[in-house]
Amino acid sequence: MVIGQRNTQQRRKIREVFEKAGRPLNVDEVHGLVREILPGLGIATVYRAINDLVEEEWLKPVELPGRNNSYELSNLGHHHHFICEDCDKVFDLQGCPGQMKDLVPEGFKARTHDITIYGICEHCNQD
Amino acid sequence: MVIGQRNTQQRRKIREVFEKAGRPLNVDEVHGLVREILPGLGIATVYRAINDLVEEEWLKPVELPGRNNSYELSNLGHHHHFICEDCDKVFDLQGCPGQMKDLVPEGFKARTHDITIYGICEHCNQD
DNA sequence: ATCGTTGCAAACTCTTTGCAGGATT
DNA sequence: AATCCTGCAAAGAGTTTGCAACGAT
C-alpha cells in the first residue's frame, strides 16, 4: 500500500542502505546489509518493503539479463548498467549511445531499451 | 552429456521447432509447440534436451531482463534482441551501435554487452 | 485502540534431479 | 543387451502470501 505506511525500524534501515549504496542492490544484498544492524530481519519483510517502495516509485526495479532483480533509487534518469563478472556487483553508467531506432526493422515500433555491459569493475581490476 | 546422444522423437521435434522458429524460444514455447505433435511430452524432457543442446553449443541461451531464458541457434553471430510488449515474443535484431567502451568509466574494463529494445512488433503494430 | 508491519511457515513458480520403465543403438 | 532417454514426482531456489503477534500512530 502506498498511503498509511508506518515508519518502522526495518523500513527505515532498508531505505538507508539504498541511499548509502550508490549502486543497485538486490534482495539478498539488502537483507545482508540490514541484518548487520537488525539481525532478526526476515527475508519476507525485505520483499514486502521493496515492493511497497517500488509501488510508491521511490525505488525502481533494475531488470538484468540472467539474474534476479536489483533495485535503485527512482530519481536517476535514463542510464544503463555494468555488471562485474568477478564480484558480481551492479554499477550505474552515465550516457547512452542512442541510435537505437536504427536497429529496429520496418514495421516495428521501439519504445525504450536496456543496455548491460559486462566486464571487470575498478576494484576487481586492481588484483 | 555431449557424446552418445540418441536421436529420439522428442529431441528431433525440439530441434525442429528451433529451426523453424527463426526467433528465440523459451522453455514453455518449446513445450507448447512440440506438444502439438507429441502431447505426452514432459516439461523435464524439454529442460534436459535444451540443456544438452546448449552444452554441445547447438543452442545459445538468450538471457533477457526480467524474464526466463529463451534459447536460439548458436550460429547467429553478434546481435541484439527486441521484446514485443504486446505479444511478449522475442525477436532478433541486426546490427549494433558500437561505442560501448565510451560508457565505461576509467578503471573499468568492458568485455561484452547486451542490448534489449522494447516496443511493439510488426504483427501487433497492425492492430 | 486501531490497523499497518513483522517473522515464520506454507504456497507458488521455475528449474533440476531421482527413479523405474521404455526406446534407441 | 546395454545404456541413454522419458515421464512422473519430489526437491531446490527465489518470491509471495496467510496468520497471529507486535508496534507505530
Side-chain angles (χ1 to χ4, degrees), chain B residues 99-118:
Chain B
Q99 308 302 55
M100 291 299 146
K101 306 268 193 280
D102 300 355
L103 300 183
V104 173
E106 201 65 39
F108 285 59
K109 186 187 293 177
R111 188 186 58 80
T112 185
H113 63 271
D114 283 344
I115 298 178
T116 310
I117 299 185
Y118 299 85

Side-chain angles (χ1 to χ4, degrees), chain A residues 19-71:
Chain A
E19 281 165 341
K20 283 185 189 155
R23 61 179 194 83
L25 299 176
N26 65 33
V27 171
D28 280 339
E29 286 174 318
V30 174
H31 191 219
L33 287 166
V34 179
R35 228 127 92 111
E36 293 173 7
I37 297 154
L38 302 173
L41 180 70
I43 190 76
T45 298
V46 178
Y47 277 105
R48 278 186 282 227
I50 288 179
N51 288 341
D52 286 351
L53 290 168
V54 169
E55 202 174 333
E56 65 179 91
E57 294 184 302
W58 190 84
L59 282 181
K60 205 169 78 168
V62 179
E63 302 184 329
L64 294 162
R67 37 164 59 223
N68 304 335
N69 277 183
S70 291
Y71 299 86

Side-chain angles (χ1 to χ4, degrees), chain A residues 107-108, chain B residues 86-87 89 91 120-127:
Chain A
F108 286 60
Chain B
D86 200 359
C87 67
K89 292 200 182 91
F91 298 89
I120 305 295
C121 79
E122 182 167 34
H123 181 263
C124 295
N125 208 9
Q126 291 168 357
D127 305 335

Side-chain angles (χ1 to χ4, degrees), chain A residues 94-105:
Chain A
Q94 303 308 315
C96 174
Q99 306 303 54
M100 291 300 146
K101 304 269 194 283
D102 300 356
L103 300 184
V104 173

Side-chain angles (χ1 to χ4, degrees), chain B residues 71-89:
Chain B
Y71 299 87
E72 64 186 358
L73 301 186
S74 61
N75 60 3
L76 297 177
H78 182 71
H79 66 282
H80 296 297
H81 295 98
F82 183 96
I83 299 180
C84 178
E85 295 176 314
D86 200 359
C87 67
D88 225 47
K89 292 200 182 91

Side-chain angles (χ1 to χ4, degrees), chain A residues 82-99:
Chain A
F82 183 96
I83 299 180
C84 178
E85 295 177 314
D86 200 359
C87 68
D88 225 48
K89 291 200 183 91
V90 181
F91 298 89
D92 288 325
L93 298 176
Q94 303 308 315
C96 174
Q99 306 303 54

